[in-house]
Amino acid sequence: MALTVEVKNAEGKKVGSVDLPTEIFDVQTNIPLIHQVVTAQLAAARQGTQKAKNRGETSGSGKKPFKQKGTGRARQGSIRAPLQRGGGAAHAVRPRTYFQRTPKKMIAAALRGVLSDRQRNDRIHVLDSIATTASTKSAIAAVRQFSDRKNLLVVVSRTEDLAWRSLRNADDMHLLVPDQLNAYDILKSDDVVFSEAAIKDFLKAPSKGKSTTSVARESEVSA
């Protein structure tokens, strides 16, 4: 069994339809799983290069800044102590990795869950061709016929150069290719608009959620 979504042209007329397999676009949405996958993705995007100097790395003498007694002030042993101006940090942050292990099956399940959520709310659309000429105005008008919501995710094929050039500078649209689809970008977008070529490329991948790139690599290895 498959779901059906209409394919429209730039003028808004129906020119066909695409069957969306239920094992990808009509599965149960596991919110805790999606949260874990998105959190791991955002964590992996962090550079982890922050660093502060501790008292052993700051410049300065090891001599006592003033005598131990008789000044009325708290005793200090070094101008590099954390309490001194220009001293080292008490618990200095260090470079670290924020990587969280996320199995591929979890990533694929999260992607299917968010796609199913968007499909159940009629927020997945298919356009036969986003751009026939390199025109940002016409491309935006063609995509915007489906929704006036703020953020749109536009999925185009790698071969659709005119679509890339037309929409790459649109502030309220995010462009991806089918093998880059991920749960986070779908969640932060109100609607998802596929080109007809892009949805076909995406559906070529197995229902387990492998990307078209990984499928191509596996076929090369087996050959």
Side-chain angles (χ1 to χ4, degrees), residues 85-101:
R85 181 179 181 182
H91 302 286
V93 295
R94 294 299 182 187
R96 54 160 293 188
T97 175
Y98 291 91
F99 172 77
Q100 299 179 23
R101 181 181 177 274

Side-chain angles (χ1 to χ4, degrees), residues 158-173:
R158 291 184 181 275
T159 59
E160 295 180 289
D161 184 59
L162 289 176
W164 278 99
R165 287 191 290 165
S166 300
L167 294 178
R168 61 188 174 185
N169 292 327
D171 294 333
D172 53 354
M173 296 183 188

Side-chain angles (χ1 to χ4, degrees), residues 112-187:
R112 293 195 297 267
V114 294
L115 285 173
S116 298
D117 176 74
R118 290 294 183 261
Q119 171 59 23
R120 281 191 284 268
N121 290 280
D122 298 322
R123 295 194 177 188
I124 288 185
H125 318 282
V126 181
L127 191 61
D128 66 339
S129 179
I130 292 177
T132 55
T133 59
S135 170
T136 299
K137 182 177 180 180
S138 60
I140 291 178
V143 173
R144 275 293 175 190
Q145 66 173 297
F146 298 107
S147 173
D148 58 355
R149 300 182 184 94
K150 182 178 181 181
N151 298 312
L152 294 183
L153 174 62
V154 183
V155 187
V156 297
S157 173
R158 291 184 181 275
T159 59
E160 295 180 289
D161 184 59
L162 289 176
W164 278 99
R165 287 191 290 165
S166 300
L167 294 178
R168 61 188 174 185
N169 292 327
D171 294 333
D172 53 354
M173 296 183 188
H174 183 52
L175 267 66
L176 284 180
V177 292
D179 53 23
Q180 291 178 339
L181 268 180
N182 59 87
Y184 172 69
D185 284 323
I186 295 175
L187 281 178

Side-chain angles (χ1 to χ4, degrees), residues 2-223:
L3 305 171
T4 302
V5 60
E6 294 182 348
V7 179
K8 294 186 177 181
N9 59 16
E11 289 75 30
K13 297 180 180 179
K14 179 182 177 181
V15 294
S17 62
V18 175
D19 291 334
L20 304 180
T22 56
E23 60 268 20
I24 299 178
F25 291 90
D26 193 20
V27 301
Q28 183 178 1
T29 301
N30 188 333
I31 295 178
L33 170 65
I34 294 172
H35 178 270
Q36 182 176 346
V37 170
V38 170
T39 300
Q41 180 178 341
L42 294 178
R46 300 182 66 177
Q47 290 184 330
T49 55
Q50 73 278 26
K51 183 180 183 298
K53 294 181 180 180
N54 59 27
R55 63 185 298 167
E57 296 171 323
T58 55
S59 60
S61 171
K63 181 182 178 182
K64 286 175 68 65
F66 46 83
K67 63 181 182 178
Q68 181 86 348
K69 297 180 179 295
T71 63
R73 300 177 61 185
R75 56 191 177 185
Q76 293 291 328
S78 171
I79 61 173
R80 297 185 295 175
L83 293 178
Q84 294 292 318
R85 181 179 181 182
H91 302 286
V93 295
R94 294 299 182 187
R96 54 160 293 188
T97 175
Y98 291 91
F99 172 77
Q100 299 179 23
R101 181 181 177 274
T102 311
K104 292 181 180 179
K105 288 185 178 180
M106 291 176 58
I107 297 175
L111 177 58
R112 293 195 297 267
V114 294
L115 285 173
S116 298
D117 176 74
R118 290 294 183 261
Q119 171 59 23
R120 281 191 284 268
N121 290 280
D122 298 322
R123 295 194 177 188
I124 288 185
H125 318 282
V126 181
L127 191 61
D128 66 339
S129 179
I130 292 177
T132 55
T133 59
S135 170
T136 299
K137 182 177 180 180
S138 60
I140 291 178
V143 173
R144 275 293 175 190
Q145 66 173 297
F146 298 107
S147 173
D148 58 355
R149 300 182 184 94
K150 182 178 181 181
N151 298 312
L152 294 183
L153 174 62
V154 183
V155 187
V156 297
S157 173
R158 291 184 181 275
T159 59
E160 295 180 289
D161 184 59
L162 289 176
W164 278 99
R165 287 191 290 165
S166 300
L167 294 178
R168 61 188 174 185
N169 292 327
D171 294 333
D172 53 354
M173 296 183 188
H174 183 52
L175 267 66
L176 284 180
V177 292
D179 53 23
Q180 291 178 339
L181 268 180
N182 59 87
Y184 172 69
D185 284 323
I186 295 175
L187 281 178
K188 72 175 186 178
S189 301
D190 298 311
D191 289 77
V192 183
V193 179
F194 286 89
S195 69
E196 190 172 9
I199 192 68
K200 290 179 179 178
D201 288 345
F202 179 71
L203 295 179
K204 286 179 183 178
S207 59
K208 291 183 179 179
K210 294 182 180 178
S211 66
T212 53
T213 303
S214 63
V215 174
R217 289 175 180 172
E218 289 180 1
S219 60
E220 291 174 1
V221 172
S222 60

